[in-house]
Amino acid sequence: MTDNLKLAVIGAGGKMGMRVSANLQKTDWDVKYAEKSPAGVARNEELGRHVVSNDEAVKDADIVVFAVPDVALNAVTTEVVPLMKDGSVVLTLDPAAAYANQLFMREGLTYVVAHPTHPSVFLERHTPEEWADTFGGVAAPQNAVAAMFTPSDHWKPIAEKVIEVIYGPVIKVYWASVHDLAVLEPTLNETIGCMIGQFLKDVLDYTVEVTDMDEDTVKAMFYGHIYIALTNALRGSNPFSDACLLAMDYGREAIIKEDWKRIYDDADLDVVVAKMLKLDKIER
Ligand SMILES: NC(=O)c1ccc[n+]([C@@H]2O[C@H](COP(=O)([O-])OP(=O)(O)OC[C@H]3O[C@@H](n4cnc5c(N)ncnc54)[C@H](O)[C@@H]3O)[C@@H](O)[C@H]2O)c1
């Protein structure tokens, strides 16, 4: 099914470009790497990946991976998609630009977006390499969630195989709509999850500031409690104690706004995606 597959990576020298290119380099596929910045070109050449022009990279490619920043995807797809061969696949790595109608659309091409989940906080890590691979794509297994906004029975299983490789090791590729993938990323993961992660660091720092304890003491108490909070709440490992439940109610009332669910409204999703893409608003 994927024998003789030809791929191209646009933006091969960026953060994701380097990650997906390293994994593609291990395959038998014919992969071409394109990158504009001299530093990004040097990073690839040092690892034995010859860098060619966008035109050269995509002209024969079956699947083109666009590893460029979301704010640049409109300009880059407008330049590159017309150079792609008929019937090929545009693969992007984040739903924001697709959700905001920022990709250059061309009749006859298939458009897929796939985002890595990153290795789970509950993953059993067996080796130092798995422990070190917090992002995923090197040693620690992760999942991916993908969306096709131009459905293709032909390309779906092939795209799934490519997604398994670029984000590998991958346990499973889940499929959703572009809209729902945008609900996961940014709303669930960034607007809520990453915000709460950073908030935990802020409260750790503030606890050190307002007490006589050093950071190690606070971390010792907090890190174990963060884990038990996550595993109790998300895996049902143990019930929270009765007193803890009362403190949790108090904290929720003090900190969380009553109307927090509004960030799931499409109008709010549009606002955050527009901010991320530096657009005035999302055009429908
Ligand atoms: N960084 C992450 O943690 C992460 C995670 C998941 C998905 N993504 C997605 O991956 C994509 C890339 O993000 P990133 O963080 O790797 O970006 P980045 O800024 O690290 O890298 C982008 C690369 O694209 C190159 N580039 C820009 N315009 C180009 C052009 N016209 N032709 C060729 N190369 C060009 C830049 O020189 C740069 O090397 C985005 O869609 C992002 O949402 C990023």
Side-chain angles (χ1 to χ4, degrees):
M1 180 176 70
T2 56
D3 287 351
N4 306 318
L5 201 61
K6 291 187 168 71
L7 289 106
V9 182
I10 305 295
K15 290 183 281 297
M16 291 304 285
M18 290 297 287
R19 292 185 174 110
V20 304
S21 298
N23 284 341
L24 287 169
Q25 193 177 13
K26 296 181 208 151
T27 68
D28 296 333
W29 295 331
D30 174 357
V31 188
K32 297 219 161 35
Y33 308 95
E35 168 60 47
K36 285 268 158 91
S37 82
V41 172
R43 276 194 288 276
N44 278 280
E45 297 279 352
E46 273 164 28
L47 294 168
R49 297 192 288 268
H50 179 53
V51 174
V52 299
S53 66
N54 287 345
D55 190 356
E56 178 66 24
V58 306
K59 68 177 194 247
D60 297 320
D62 302 303
I63 298 185
V64 177
V65 181
F66 285 83
V68 299
D70 296 322
V71 288
L73 269 171
N74 184 268
V76 175
T77 57
T78 301
E79 175 203 330
V80 173
V81 168
L83 307 173
M84 291 171 60
K85 73 176 183 185
D86 284 340
S88 57
V89 177
V90 171
L91 175 57
T92 56
L93 307 181
D94 186 280
Y99 175 80
N101 300 314
Q102 290 294 298
L103 302 181
F104 181 91
M105 299 302 287
R106 183 176 139 199
E107 192 75 27
L109 265 55
T110 295
Y111 288 73
V112 180
V113 50
H115 201 281
T117 63
H118 306 296
S120 166
V121 67
F122 301 124
L123 176 74
E124 279 187 55
R125 290 161 167 87
H126 301 286
T127 65
E129 291 75 21
E130 289 179 7
W131 175 250
D133 183 18
T134 54
F135 190 92
V138 178
Q142 62 175 337
N143 299 291
V145 184
M148 287 190 116
F149 44 116
T150 48
S152 161
D153 290 341
H154 170 71
W155 282 116
K156 191 173 178 187
I158 299 171
E160 186 163 314
K161 185 72 210 155
V162 171
I163 293 161
E164 283 170 2
V165 167
I166 62 174
Y167 295 145
V170 163
I171 302 160
K172 180 171 174 173
V173 178
Y174 295 85
W175 289 89
S177 65
V178 171
H179 170 272
D180 288 356
L181 186 48
V183 169
L184 295 179
E185 181 92 14
T187 301
L188 181 66
N189 292 338
E190 291 170 321
T191 309
I192 305 173
C194 294
M195 181 276 292
I196 289 177
Q198 186 58 47
F199 184 63
L200 294 177
K201 173 72 168 82
D202 295 347
V203 298
L204 188 155
D205 291 345
Y206 191 64
T207 305
V208 174
E209 192 183 317
V210 298
T211 64
D212 295 328
M213 293 178 284
D214 63 13
E215 189 173 305
D216 283 350
T217 309
V218 178
K219 274 186 185 168
M221 191 66 158
F222 198 33
Y223 283 7
H225 276 81
I226 291 172
Y227 185 68
I228 204 74
L230 292 178
T231 190
N232 282 359
L234 299 176
R235 293 200 302 186
S237 306
N238 282 293
F240 290 107
S241 71
D242 292 345
C244 179
L245 285 169
L246 294 172
M248 287 162 62
D249 283 347
Y250 180 78
R252 182 178 277 250
E253 267 176 42
I255 295 171
I256 306 290
K257 289 186 184 172
E258 256 179 46
D259 69 343
W260 65 269
K261 288 181 184 161
R262 74 176 169 76
I263 63 169
Y264 279 80
D265 293 347
D266 284 350
D268 267 53
L269 181 55
D270 282 11
V271 169
V272 69
V273 171
K275 276 183 194 294
M276 295 169 84
L277 297 178
K278 303 190 191 329
L279 299 170
D280 292 336
K281 63 181 179 100
I282 306 291
E283 302 290 348
R284 292 275 162 231

